[in-house]
Each structure stands twice: as structure tokens, then as C-alpha cells.
């Protein structure tokens, strides 16, 4: 899943770039998830998405 796609699922009523920046802030605030915000890849593996869901809940 693309990181912006995931961000938009959490923040559906704002622009994709703004959703990603807001989502990235959420990830950086959680020490267990901060690595996902710092990676260069634009996609997340299904296992990574599941870890995010476990910490933040499903959108």
C-alpha cells in the first residue's frame, strides 16, 4: 500500500500531501512507528501496514 494512500485513509477530507504530513507526524510521535516515517520507500509492506493498524487502529 502506498504511504499517501494509507495517510488518506486516516485523513480522508484533506489533500493527499497534507494527509501524509499529518500522518507522518503521528508516526514520528510513536517510537515503535517512527522508522516507517523515516524510510525512503513510498510503499509499505502488508506486514508494516498491520503493525501501524495495531498501534493506531484501523481508519
Amino acid at each position: 500500500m502506498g504511504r499517501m494512500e494509507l495517510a488518506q485513509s486516516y485523513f480522508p477530507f484533506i489533500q493527499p500531501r497534507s494527509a501524509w504530513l499529518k500522518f507522518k507526524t503521528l508516526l514520528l510521535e510513536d517510537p515503535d512507528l517512527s522508522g516507517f516515517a523515516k524510510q525512503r520507500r513510498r510503499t509499505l509492506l502488508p506486514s508494516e501496514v498491520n503493525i501501524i493498524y495495531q498501534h493506531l487502529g484501523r481508519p
Side-chain angles (χ1 to χ4, degrees):
M1 175 180 282
R3 64 184 186 187
M4 291 182 84
E5 179 185 355
L6 182 59
Q8 284 235 258
S9 67
Y10 279 92
F11 303 103
F13 300 110
I14 59 177
Q15 294 295 316
R17 176 80 176 141
S18 297
W20 165 243
L21 293 174
K22 196 167 184 174
F23 186 64
K24 184 177 178 181
T25 301
L26 277 178
L27 296 177
L28 289 171
E29 290 174 354
D30 188 324
D32 294 331
L33 302 177
S34 64
F36 297 126
K38 296 174 185 174
Q39 68 186 11
R40 290 209 166 280
R41 288 185 291 128
R42 293 183 181 212
T43 59
L44 298 166
L45 300 173
S47 59
E48 294 171 330
V49 173
N50 285 330
I51 291 169
I52 292 170
Y53 284 166
Q54 288 174 358
H55 281 80
L56 300 179
R58 290 197 177 263

